[in-house]
Amino acid sequence: MVDSFVYNLRNYSYTEILEVNTMLSNINYHNEFNIQILSNTTVNPLNEILEAFVRSFRMNPSVEFGNYDNIVQDSFSLEKANLVIIFYDLMNIIEHAHINLELLKEIEVREMIAKIKKEIQVIFNNLADQPLVLFNMFYPYKYNELHHFQSNLSFIARELNAFLAEQKTTNVELIDIEKIIATIGSKNAIEYKKFLKYKMLYSFQFFKSYVASIDNMLLRCMGKVKKVIVFDCDNTLWKGIVGEDGIKGIEMSSDSAKGIYFHLVQKMAVEWSKKGILICLCSKNNWDDVMQVIDTHEAMILTSEYIISMKVNWTNKAENLRHLASELNLGLDSFVFIDDSDYEVNLVKTQLPEVLTIQVPKEIETYPIMLHEVVTRFFNLKPISEDLDKLNQYKQQKVRQDALTDFGNIDDYLMSLGTTIKIYHNETEHIKRIAQLTQKTNQFNLTTRRYTEHEIEAYIKSDNTDLFSLEVKDNYGNSGITGVAIISITKTQAMYIDTFLLSCRVISRNVENAFLYFILDFYKSKGITSIQAEYIESKKNILVKDLYGNIGFDLDSEKQFSKRYSIQLENYNPRKEKTVQIIK
């Protein structure tokens, strides 16, 4: 139900969204997601939609609205939020703007543009420290669709949008609401009568489409993007059933009337794999039949080199997906499952509701477009270098796991890996990767705090914060930047470990010990006497609940979902981890 709600958001009625929000509000989650909305028009219906969206991803929402038509003033006093949304609409910059703006002389129009530009600069400056700001581009709201002359409203919108693109700070994303309005039509999006009476310019249908259009930004901000696509095979990657139709009877060629759509799906899957999305197969089939198709069929594009793992057997598909999650060391909420069978889709939806399950549409010509939308909305399609090498890194991990069986004990195995780490201090080239790790790392993450690139950049520039990034290599390959520590100075001049995390790909290799010993040694050498730390429990980080205690920190206090620690460095000698070598 969780991902299904977000996926089908545009189809929900107001009453249905209220029901979802009410149902999910009875659950209290560990993490809060705060959204601040500034606007010069009434946008209150956003509240229930955004709350239901955030709750559907197991976070507590806090949606707060600024004072009506008070954007500039509110921007001076806005507290830190996870997300700021700004509706600064031309329709309300003066009374009856769509009429009165057309009556202005050219000099008056230019004076108004200059005034708004100054206000935008003030807003951007005041919100520069916010993690993420969504600023809606200006839209000219044409009510007479037949005229073709240049209106003042259109001219103002064009000038201001060019200014927005030129002046926006790194933490600002511009939202083209004209595209949103075009998808549902201006008559369905704009409620002129309600605007005249209540200053409510947009319809509820618009607000649903608006949230659906920014859902990828919301997911990235919450650290909830998907990472894995799992395909069935028959009638999902090709047309037909290989076990019945034979290898010559299935279709996936670009020359085939039906096969073309499966050809396009496979073509997209290959490109997604190159962008760091993990592609897997889960099919009830004979292994040899499927492998014959993958290895020998001339039209097969999605070959073994792009597939990270295959569960081709007659086991329950929900069970196979659980095995895939365990094998990849990822949560099931990172998965999207694609299948043509009503039975299999309903089985997975029922048994694994955290998996986003999508059925191949009956109108097969819509299949590639539908899948493209799913990936665009739920995955990160702005990969960095570590994402692009994911397939090789998971294959390297498989070799490591296979090598473990050759050793009698874990220490001998870890010694055989030849693991080396390199620790960087305030490295600006790692900003994107560090932000990404904070946003998506769940299992080995002591506080699960999420940060944007803008915030990481500010930490690196700050005199009160140290940011360490960790690169891990071994005999099987380079795992890349896979660890982060953010250390800040407290009011008592002690150091506080705000964030300590490792990617799942380097867990259980003693890397965490070597990393933490390095940090303790670093500060002891600088004369620091005390370091404080915290563990904040989440749904997934139970693995690290005793990490600080095991290292030698003292437990100072404990609450239901958190523990506070400290360590005195004067009499503490950081140990050396014999299975990991630190290189300069």
Side-chain angles (χ1 to χ4, degrees):
M1 198 287 296
V2 170
D3 287 341
S4 175
F5 165 73
V6 174
Y7 178 61
N8 295 299
L9 175 58
R10 291 183 179 93
N11 300 325
Y12 276 70
S13 68
Y14 178 66
T15 302
E16 288 171 330
I17 289 176
L18 288 180
E19 289 173 352
V20 170
N21 196 26
T22 301
M23 179 185 70
L24 295 176
S25 67
N26 295 321
I27 307 171
N28 186 34
Y29 302 108
H30 297 319
N31 298 322
E32 183 171 290
F33 191 78
N34 179 260
I35 302 173
Q36 298 278 350
I37 301 174
L38 307 182
S39 71
N40 68 339
T41 183
T42 302
V43 293
N44 294 76
L46 269 175
N47 183 65
E48 287 78 13
I49 304 172
L50 287 169
E51 283 188 344
F53 187 103
V54 172
R55 286 190 171 112
S56 70
F57 286 95
R58 294 169 291 281
M59 300 184 79
N60 292 319
S62 172
V63 181
E64 301 176 19
F65 294 85
N67 295 312
Y68 173 78
D69 198 13
N70 209 45
I71 298 174
V72 176
Q73 296 90 324
D74 283 345
S75 71
F76 280 94
S77 57
L78 198 69
E79 294 183 359
K80 198 78 169 277
N82 298 105
L83 173 67
V84 178
I85 299 175
I86 298 179
F87 278 76
Y88 191 169
D89 285 290
L90 288 182
M91 277 292 288
N92 206 33
I93 56 174
I94 60 174
E95 191 73 16
H96 302 299
H98 66 296
I99 299 297
N100 289 329
L101 283 176
E102 302 308 322
L103 304 179
L104 296 179
K105 298 176 182 178
E106 181 179 345
I107 189 171
E108 293 174 316
V109 170
R110 295 195 176 277
E111 286 174 352
M112 179 163 290
I113 290 172
K115 171 182 174 293
I116 297 174
K117 284 182 176 180
K118 287 181 180 178
E119 291 182 347
I120 291 170
Q121 284 184 317
V122 170
I123 293 167
F124 282 173
N125 289 336
N126 289 342
L127 302 182
D129 291 331
Q130 295 289 345
L132 180 62
V133 178
L134 304 185
F135 197 111
N136 296 336
M137 295 173 68
F138 294 96
Y139 176 64
Y141 304 104
K142 297 176 183 176
Y143 286 94
N144 182 357
E145 301 293 345
L146 297 177
H147 70 242
H148 299 284
F149 61 83
Q150 172 63 57
S151 68
N152 284 341
L153 204 58
S154 297
F155 176 72
I156 293 171
R158 188 171 64 251
E159 288 288 305
L160 292 179
N161 286 334
F163 183 76
L164 284 174
E166 186 180 283
Q167 296 294 318
K168 80 181 191 70
T169 47
T170 56
N171 65 325
V172 173
E173 293 281 355
L174 300 180
I175 307 301
D176 188 350
I177 62 171
E178 187 166 3
K179 289 182 179 179
I180 301 170
I181 293 171
T183 62
I184 60 176
S186 60
K187 291 182 179 179
N188 294 320
I190 308 300
E191 296 194 321
Y192 184 51
K193 290 182 179 178
K194 281 190 177 180
F195 179 67
L196 291 179
K197 285 186 175 182
Y198 314 114
K199 298 302 181 184
M200 185 179 290
L201 180 61
Y202 300 106
S203 69
F204 189 73
Q205 188 175 350
F206 168 85
F207 288 122
K208 288 190 299 180
S209 296
Y210 180 84
V211 174
S213 73
I214 65 169
D215 54 10
N216 188 262
M217 295 177 190
L218 286 166
L219 293 177
R220 282 190 279 135
C221 210
M222 294 189 293
K224 301 291 185 179
V225 289
K226 305 293 182 183
K227 302 170 187 176
V228 186
I229 301 179
V230 184
F231 286 98
D232 175 38
C233 292
D234 294 329
N235 291 314
T236 302
L237 286 180
W238 52 73
K239 172 68 176 172
I241 301 173
V242 67
E244 297 177 4
D245 302 318
I247 192 168
K248 293 183 179 180
I250 60 175
E251 299 179 60
M252 55 182 130
S253 168
S254 60
D255 298 326
S256 164
K258 294 290 185 182
I260 178 63
Y261 304 111
F262 298 93
H263 167 84
L264 291 172
V265 166
Q266 287 196 32
K267 189 175 182 180
M268 290 190 297
V270 168
E271 293 306 311
W272 295 331
S273 176
K274 292 176 181 178
K275 290 185 176 182
I277 295 174
L278 303 179
I279 306 297
C280 300
L281 303 187
C282 180
S283 175
K284 282 185 176 177
N285 239 314
N286 291 324
W287 173 270
D288 291 343
D289 290 345
V290 170
M291 291 311 297
Q292 185 183 14
V293 175
I294 291 174
D295 292 338
T296 67
H297 199 291
E298 61 182 8
M300 188 75 187
I301 301 173
L302 187 63
T303 54
S304 298
E305 64 181 300
Y306 304 110
I307 302 170
I308 190 65
S309 185
M310 292 183 270
K311 300 297 179 189
V312 179
N313 50 46
W314 298 98
T315 302
N316 177 307
K317 288 194 177 181
E319 189 62 29
N320 272 332
L321 288 171
R322 291 189 186 97
H323 288 156
L324 276 173
S326 176
E327 181 181 313
L328 299 175
N329 203 16
L330 293 171
L332 282 164
D333 57 357
S334 300
F335 282 63
V336 173
F337 175 59
I338 316 291
D339 201 302
D340 68 297
S341 164
D342 293 332
Y343 170 79
E344 301 293 355
V345 165
N346 289 326
L347 173 75
V348 174
K349 279 184 177 180
T350 302
Q351 294 198 13
L352 304 176
E354 58 267 64
V355 174
L356 175 56
T357 305
I358 306 294
Q359 186 163 7
V360 178
K362 305 302 181 187
E363 302 79 14
I364 200 63
E365 63 275 8
T366 66
Y367 183 27
I369 297 171
M370 179 208 71
L371 209 50
H372 175 74
E373 181 188 3
V374 170
V375 172
T376 302
R377 291 177 63 185
F378 288 92
F379 288 82
N380 178 18
L381 292 179
K382 295 182 178 180
I384 57 179
S385 58
E386 281 79 5
D387 294 323
L388 300 177
D389 200 35
K390 270 186 180 179
L391 190 60
N392 287 332
Q393 290 168 348
Y394 274 97
K395 287 182 176 179
Q396 291 165 7
Q397 183 62 18
K398 181 71 165 58
V399 175
R400 292 187 189 97
Q401 291 172 345
D402 293 342
L404 178 58
T405 60
D406 297 332
F407 291 87
N409 63 70
I410 188 66
D411 287 338
D412 289 343
Y413 166 69
L414 292 176
M415 288 293 291
S416 76
L417 291 178
T419 302
T420 62
I421 63 173
K422 186 173 183 179
I423 299 169
Y424 299 84
H425 182 220
N426 292 337
E427 178 55 68
T428 55
E429 290 185 5
H430 296 166
I431 288 173
K432 285 188 176 182
R433 175 58 175 167
I434 292 168
Q436 184 190 63
L437 282 170
T438 68
Q439 291 164 15
K440 72 177 187 177
T441 305
N442 296 305
Q443 292 175 304
F444 202 110
N445 193 334
L446 275 294
T447 53
T448 322
R449 294 190 174 108
R450 313 297 188 185
Y451 292 113
T452 64
E453 292 175 27
H454 178 73
E455 290 175 299
I456 295 300
E457 183 179 10
Y459 275 139
I460 287 178
K461 292 179 179 179
S462 171
D463 294 332
N464 296 322
T465 308
D466 289 310
L467 202 150
F468 299 95
S469 47
L470 174 77
E471 182 181 23
V472 180
K473 297 180 182 180
D474 64 21
N475 294 334
Y476 296 99
N478 187 347
S479 296
I481 302 301
T482 48
V484 173
I486 301 174
I487 322 291
S488 58
I489 302 175
T490 68
K491 293 180 180 179
T492 59
Q493 297 302 304
M495 305 307 296
Y496 168 68
I497 303 178
D498 171 273
T499 295
F500 188 79
L501 64 84
L502 289 181
S503 168
C504 60
R505 72 180 70 150
V506 295
I507 289 176
S508 302
R509 290 162 60 182
N510 292 340
V511 168
E512 63 273 17
N513 296 343
F515 191 17
L516 200 45
Y517 294 152
F518 172 89
I519 291 169
L520 298 179
D521 201 34
F522 176 87
Y523 286 112
K524 185 174 182 179
S525 69
K526 292 183 173 294
I528 301 297
T529 60
S530 176
I531 295 183
Q532 299 171 4
E534 188 174 13
Y535 165 71
I536 300 175
E537 182 183 331
S538 72
K539 185 178 180 181
K540 296 183 179 180
N541 72 352
I542 302 300
L543 170 71
V544 295
K545 65 184 180 69
D546 297 320
L547 175 71
Y548 288 128
N550 293 337
I551 290 291
F553 281 69
D554 296 318
L555 179 63
D556 294 332
S557 63
E558 184 173 1
K559 295 180 180 179
Q560 185 178 2
F561 296 117
S562 66
K563 297 178 181 179
R564 300 280 301 197
Y565 293 89
S566 66
I567 189 168
Q568 304 304 314
L569 295 179
E570 295 170 306
N571 301 315
Y572 179 78
N573 292 314
R575 291 167 280 176
K576 303 298 180 184
E577 181 50 64
K578 63 180 181 179
T579 62
V580 179
Q581 179 186 358
I582 299 177
I583 60 174
K584 302 294 185 181

